[in-house]
Amino acid sequence: MPRFTHPRLEDVPLDLALHALADPNRLDMVARLAATERLSCTDAAPCDTIPKSTLSNHLKLLRAAGLIETTQAGREMINTLRRSDFDRRFPGLLDAVLASRPG
């Protein structure tokens, strides 16, 4: 059974949060999660052609930045956005970044 590390948001520095949100693929993943309650890893992928290893790395960085929580549901890994916790730690940051997202 996979075990994921989910940091306390108080321990996440601003530069790590900004780094996680700076990548267009990760930002797209966060936007997808912001628009829905939860997504499997496959559904959170920014495109169909992304290698699984790259997707795993993106998800790992988003978890480390305190943006997502990943849980196991049967054989699937389900990701949810830690929106309220992240907003308490960095008020307005996620809204500003998502609002300035191209497209």
Side-chain angles (χ1 to χ4, degrees), residues 5 10 18 32 38-39 48 67 71 76 80 84 92 94 103:
T5 302
E10 300 83 31
L18 291 172
R32 286 176 184 224
R38 50 191 257 162
L39 290 172
D48 292 335
L67 282 155
T71 56
E76 284 193 303
T80 55
S84 60
L94 195 52

Side-chain angles (χ1 to χ4, degrees), residues 28-97:
D28 186 43
M29 294 167 76
V30 169
R32 286 176 184 224
L33 284 165
T36 187
E37 186 176 320
R38 50 191 257 162
L39 290 172
S40 69
C41 291
T42 305
D43 292 337
C47 64
D48 292 335
T49 60
I50 191 169
K52 286 184 181 182
S53 59
T54 302
L55 177 60
S56 293
N57 189 54
H58 284 317
L59 292 167
K60 180 181 173 183
L61 285 166
L62 291 171
R63 275 192 300 275
L67 282 155
I68 67 169
E69 182 174 356
T70 305
T71 56
Q72 186 170 1
R75 293 178 53 184
E76 284 193 303
M77 299 300 141
I78 303 298
N79 300 287
T80 55
L81 188 62
R82 295 175 65 186
R83 182 68 183 250
S84 60
D85 294 336
F86 194 84
D87 285 344
R88 272 194 299 279
R89 173 71 170 114
F90 303 109
L93 176 63
L94 195 52
D95 287 334
V97 171

